[in-house]
Amino acid sequence: MSARELHLNAFLMGVGHHEAAWRHPRTDPRALDDVAHFQHLARIAERGTFDSVFLADGVQIWGDVRHTAANRFEPITLLTAISQATERIGLIATASTGFSEPYNLARLFSSLDHISGGRAGWNIVTTAGDRSAQNFNREVNLEHAERYERADEFLDVVTALWDSWEDDALVVDRESGVFAEDAKVHEIDHKGRFFSVRGPLNAVRSPQGHPLLVQAGSSEDGKAFASAWAEAVFTAHQTHGDATAFYADLKRRVTARGRAADDVKVLPGIVPVLGGTQAQARALAEELDGLIIPARAVRQLTELIGVDLTDHPLDARLPEFPPVSRVNGAKSRFELVRDLAQRERLTLRQLLGRLGGGRGHQVVAGTPEQVADHIELWFTTGAADGFNVMAPLLPSGLEDFVDHVVPLLRARGLFRAEYTGRTLREHYGLPRPVSRYASAALV
Amino acid sequence: MSARELHLNAFLMGVGHHEAAWRHPRTDPRALDDVAHFQHLARIAERGTFDSVFLADGVQIWGDVRHTAANRFEPITLLTAISQATERIGLIATASTGFSEPYNLARLFSSLDHISGGRAGWNIVTTAGDRSAQNFNREVNLEHAERYERADEFLDVVTALWDSWEDDALVVDRESGVFAEDAKVHEIDHKGRFFSVRGPLNAVRSPQGHPLLVQAGSSEDGKAFASAWAEAVFTAHQTHGDATAFYADLKRRVTARGRAADDVKVLPGIVPVLGGTQAQARALAEELDGLIIPARAVRQLTELIGVDLTDHPLDARLPEFPPVSRVNGAKSRFELVRDLAQRERLTLRQLLGRLGGGRGHQVVAGTPEQVADHIELWFTTGAADGFNVMAPLLPSGLEDFVDHVVPLLRARGLFRAEYTGRTLREHYGLPRPVSRYASAALV
């Protein structure tokens, strides 16, 4: 194994990442309701010694109820159930800083970290869109920059709460009746613009100290936030050039903050459409794209980039896009879609086909060797520290990846053959944070 | 088995309900950190065909950090882990309406209900005390009545969200690409004093329709709330007279609302201190009371009843209590403690001993036959529909109850010998609610 280690995260999405996966005969759409389906997926990923599994989330119904295989489970509870069916694999849940209280979310992640023996991770999102805000007492969501200001303060509070019990606060002396050393349990006394939180948390420090912090925003605000907080970054790129530019930019920002470049792992998404031959892989990709329902896809694209395309003719070239400064949604995803459409002069229908497989993530249709080549190239040429693997069909696409791509990556010395660590931090090669209140920290 | 069925809920509290349980050699205080301990407790209760297990909760540190065996796990995640180690037993989590958003809590309970196959219950609390409020951006908590107004609106929103997908909304027709019948997925468009929530929930209706609703407030506001919403009521009484008066009053309020008296199960707490002889049971009770640390107990009592007793001499009679109208904490618990202190003219130290075992719940120290007699008497004379069983030591006290008291209750035809239902509602003999949006509901 080379000194630098590839990281693989299995992004679990219902019965597959392709938006029409549920219509394909190789899936069982009733599995969306079945916790055993998700436990099975995690066990497949664990067999492939993936670093982690990951669940996206939102606080509204996404897309079109009529044609969308909708989410069911809340991610933290589902990952708790998955923790009981697995031993080693990390468990990353998305949760929004927009509509929760830091005390509640700090507890949920601390509890998942305790229950799983140190395998919890938090994919931090700020949540765009008025539709979400309308489930939380607001007509209109906060502006992009303000959402990130709130997120920044939210992280200040949550990490302080996670630190509020020092690691050695417990005494548990039956004889004297002293359970904890009260000098090692700290009020955090946070008073800020968005939150006032006294603390301490009502839970002892969790196995990882802090659950792993993950972030996926690639806008200017997003990259600034990531360079301050993130330990892994999920990102989406259509070209090697875009990916290397993003990678270099993010690492530069991280080191400018005084952190080591390697303290943040960059994981672009990849949608591996696998076949025994390239022709078979392409046929599967085309079969899936043929199942897309255009009206539904247009509505999802409209939500994804924050530009209304519902009245645009399917076979007409795309219109000029507004300046990104006017976009209040996911700015980086908007830019990716705009650049793709302009670079390749796509019609709306063509764009939907390009996005249906992975919502902007790179689709690689090919043989296991071709997919492994792609991963190796990006990993060794400054585009990625690993990949967020988004199987188009689940479980079959993940099984194919684990059975046919992972062995190649192992044979090439790129990827572990067995777990060496117990916690998610150990899988990602990241240190366990010292509590900011620890006596040693005051020296 | 008689037509009327006894219900038993196992209230799980760390290593035991007695406040000094962690100091007793029959417990392992390190188990507080161990999910396997709680799964083991639930399996013991399931072996005893209990209706449910139950976890209390708070959003602050209770009592005195130095001398208190503190909480670790957040209840919804812990019960999710327990669901994976059990098959039939119900799973009741406490959660506060004071410091969460209804959309978030509706999702968490829906998710637990899906994951557990219909075994979720919610013990609704409003949360007293400024210390909790200070973890959520407020210096001072809402007043008692206002907390219940918020709770009432919170329940309106949550139950509407749980109903927002009709049971038959899913179509899942691959051929046509129709996943759900959009006419059967409803926005709730709630606009109230505390909340504005558009909906629908981003989860299909859960197995029970609504997770079971439990409530434990016994004040005027609490009883009004319970009669509107609760399906099971946890309550605390020191005398049979108080218990029958409460029982009759609550059932009267329930029927006055147009609900059937049997639609709400009343479960007083019982702390069974078991011994092979009554003398052995009393010796264990005294041994435990001898481990109480008075300074800690006074602080907890002060928090429990909202009256500061920290400067009161331990061996002096208790002072006059203020009028209940001035109490902004748990009013009914205040009245219970006041009545106990006045009726028996207790000193502070004596009161602490009476409360140390169960924080105001009835302690019954005796043989299995005596405990079974107590349960049968209360069950058959209008004091209880069942009991909230609070073992002083865990797991041993719960094991003793399951192995020695449950067989007596079964032999007397009072309690089930095996489960007949699959869901928590079925265990409690309660119907599955029809969605308020169901077409049939409009006829």
Side-chain angles (χ1 to χ4, degrees), chain A residues 26-320:
Chain A
R26 227 188 281 169
T27 66
D28 172 10
R30 296 281 174 185
L32 283 161
D33 270 336
D34 185 3
V35 66
H37 166 69
F38 292 92
Q39 291 173 321
H40 177 56
L41 297 179
R43 279 193 295 255
I44 294 167
E46 193 167 63
R47 174 159 62 77
T49 58
F50 274 55
D51 296 67
S52 43
V53 295
F54 160 57
L55 295 170
D57 193 44
V59 286
Q60 63 171 86
I61 296 210
W62 285 342
D64 173 335
V65 169
R66 188 164 179 83
H67 300 298
T68 303
N71 278 10
R72 298 292 194 288
F73 293 106
E74 182 284 327
I76 297 173
T77 44
L78 182 53
L79 289 173
T80 303
I82 288 174
S83 77
Q84 300 305 296
T86 53
E87 300 269 329
R88 295 289 194 104
I89 197 162
L91 309 162
I92 301 175
T94 298
S96 176
T97 56
F99 308 109
S100 286
E101 290 290 335
Y103 199 89
N104 291 335
L105 215 51
R107 289 188 75 202
L108 286 166
F109 278 105
S110 169
S111 198
L112 177 59
D113 205 41
H114 277 292
I115 289 170
S116 65
R119 298 190 279 141
W122 173 19
N123 176 41
I124 306 155
V125 297
T126 64
T127 307
D130 297 337
R131 198 61 209 240
S132 294
Q134 288 160 12
N135 289 328
F136 296 90
N137 317 317
R138 288 175 170 274
E139 280 303 306
V140 176
N141 207 333
L142 297 181
E143 292 293 319
H144 193 274
E146 202 171 19
R147 292 203 306 272
Y148 275 97
E149 282 171 47
R150 180 180 159 108
D152 212 55
E153 189 183 332
F154 200 108
L155 267 287
D156 279 337
V157 177
V158 166
T159 55
L161 288 169
W162 286 335
D163 285 345
S164 61
W165 287 68
E166 294 183 41
D167 288 316
D168 58 350
L170 289 190
V171 178
V172 192
D173 180 0
R174 283 174 155 161
E175 202 51 46
S176 66
V178 175
F179 192 82
E181 184 53 70
D182 38 351
K184 294 187 176 179
V185 183
H186 303 270
E187 298 187 2
I188 70 166
D189 284 328
H190 175 90
K191 291 198 193 302
R193 175 178 166 203
F194 294 94
F195 306 108
S196 296
V197 180
R198 180 170 172 184
L201 195 65
N202 57 355
V204 295
R205 203 151 188 266
S206 75
Q208 294 187 104
H210 300 177
L212 189 78
L213 297 178
V214 182
Q215 205 263 348
S218 299
S219 65
E220 276 301 303
D221 292 329
K223 283 187 284 194
F225 182 86
S227 64
W229 294 108
E231 300 172 293
V233 171
F234 296 155
T235 183
H237 301 291
Q238 288 286 320
T239 68
H240 184 268
D242 285 351
T244 51
F246 176 85
Y247 187 96
D249 179 40
L250 191 76
K251 298 280 178 165
R252 189 183 49 69
R253 289 171 189 254
V254 167
T255 53
R257 293 242 181 200
R259 303 173 68 196
D262 204 40
D263 283 355
V264 183
K265 311 299 181 190
V266 177
L267 287 81
I270 182 171
V271 182
V273 184
L274 291 163
T277 64
Q278 189 168 34
Q280 285 171 344
R282 289 210 174 131
L284 175 58
E286 276 164 32
E287 184 190 1
L288 282 165
D289 289 349
L291 294 172
I292 292 174
I293 294 166
R296 183 210 165 278
V298 171
R299 202 177 300 188
Q300 175 168 301
L301 177 60
T302 291
E303 287 186 16
L304 182 70
I305 64 173
V307 176
D308 189 350
L309 294 168
T310 48
D311 291 330
H312 191 79
L314 278 170
D315 293 307
R317 283 274 306 283
L318 286 156
E320 284 290 303

Side-chain angles (χ1 to χ4, degrees), chain B residues 38-52:
Chain B
F38 292 93
Q39 291 174 321
H40 177 57
L41 296 180
R43 279 193 293 256
I44 295 167
E46 192 168 64
R47 175 158 62 77
T49 59
F50 274 56
D51 296 67
S52 42

Side-chain angles (χ1 to χ4, degrees), chain B residues 262-279:
Chain B
D262 205 40
D263 283 356
V264 183
K265 311 298 181 189
V266 177
L267 286 82
I270 182 172
V271 181
V273 184
L274 291 163
T277 64
Q278 188 167 34

Side-chain angles (χ1 to χ4, degrees), chain B residues 91-161:
Chain B
L91 309 162
I92 301 174
T94 298
S96 176
T97 55
F99 307 108
S100 285
E101 290 291 335
Y103 199 89
N104 291 334
L105 215 51
R107 289 188 74 200
L108 287 167
F109 278 105
S110 169
S111 198
L112 177 59
D113 205 41
H114 277 291
I115 288 170
S116 65
R119 298 190 279 143
W122 173 19
N123 176 42
I124 307 154
V125 297
T126 64
T127 308
D130 297 336
R131 198 60 210 238
S132 294
Q134 288 159 12
N135 289 328
F136 297 90
N137 317 316
R138 287 174 171 274
E139 280 303 307
V140 177
N141 208 331
L142 296 181
E143 292 293 319
H144 195 273
E146 201 171 18
R147 293 203 306 272
Y148 275 98
E149 281 171 49
R150 180 180 159 107
D152 212 56
E153 189 182 331
F154 201 107
L155 267 286
D156 278 336
V157 177
V158 166
T159 55
L161 287 169

